[in-house]
Amino acid sequence: MAATCLSFLKMYSFPLLLLALAIFIQLFVVPTSFPPSHYDVLGVKRFASIEEVTEAYEERSSKWKAGTEVPKTSDFIKICYAFELLRNPLWKRDYDRFGIDEHLNVIGDMKKHEGESFSKIALPLVASSSGW
């Protein structure tokens, strides 16, 4: 009986190891490889209402205005962009339902603001790049 149990473990040890490795990768490695959603950037739950998004943005911007928290320029652009996208009902609907982010070039253009103070960045970000 002990010999059959030992042979059973030998036979299935490698596939069980591969299964454990696959589960680990699916649970811990893959989720960290995706960029954070705009909801994560603002610190609200997914599919939050426009009022909750506005409230979270105003809470962050009040810290900037008070000078208690000075964001990096890239963080400032990500937060402002997330707010502008999620406060527009049409863009928010498209982002929530389909993951469509029509103005993603704003995030891509962050490099041109590198080294610049966040207070010198022209807002709104989306209206200036929409081309309408």
Side-chain angles (χ1 to χ4, degrees):
M1 180 74 178
T4 59
C5 185
L6 188 59
S7 67
F8 180 79
L9 285 175
K10 274 187 182 179
M11 188 170 37
Y12 289 107
S13 63
F14 187 67
L16 288 173
L17 178 67
L18 288 178
L19 176 67
L21 181 64
I23 290 172
F24 174 78
I25 289 172
Q26 285 290 324
L27 291 177
F28 299 106
V29 176
V30 171
T32 59
S33 64
F34 289 107
S37 74
H38 297 303
Y39 292 102
D40 295 336
V41 169
L42 288 171
V44 294
K45 68 182 189 307
R46 189 131 173 98
F47 305 112
S49 68
I50 293 174
E51 292 80 21
E52 291 171 315
V53 167
T54 304
E55 194 175 297
Y57 176 77
E58 287 175 354
E59 184 178 308
R60 285 192 178 223
S61 66
S62 68
K63 291 177 185 175
W64 301 335
K65 292 174 186 169
T68 58
E69 181 181 304
V70 179
K72 293 189 300 184
T73 305
S74 60
D75 293 339
F76 174 76
I77 290 173
K78 287 178 185 177
I79 291 168
C80 289
Y81 175 66
F83 171 65
E84 290 176 22
L85 179 87
L86 296 175
R87 76 174 175 180
N88 183 314
L90 182 63
W91 293 337
K92 183 180 182 322
R93 182 204 62 197
D94 290 345
Y95 181 71
D96 289 345
R97 287 187 184 168
F98 310 113
I100 296 174
D101 197 351
E102 298 171 351
H103 308 282
L104 197 54
N105 62 318
V106 172
I107 301 294
D109 291 342
M110 278 194 304
K111 291 193 192 292
K112 74 177 182 183
H113 295 292
E114 227 170 73
E116 189 176 344
S117 171
F118 76 92
S119 61
K120 294 181 181 171
I121 297 174
L123 297 175
L125 296 169
V126 175
S128 64
S129 68
S130 65
W132 288 2

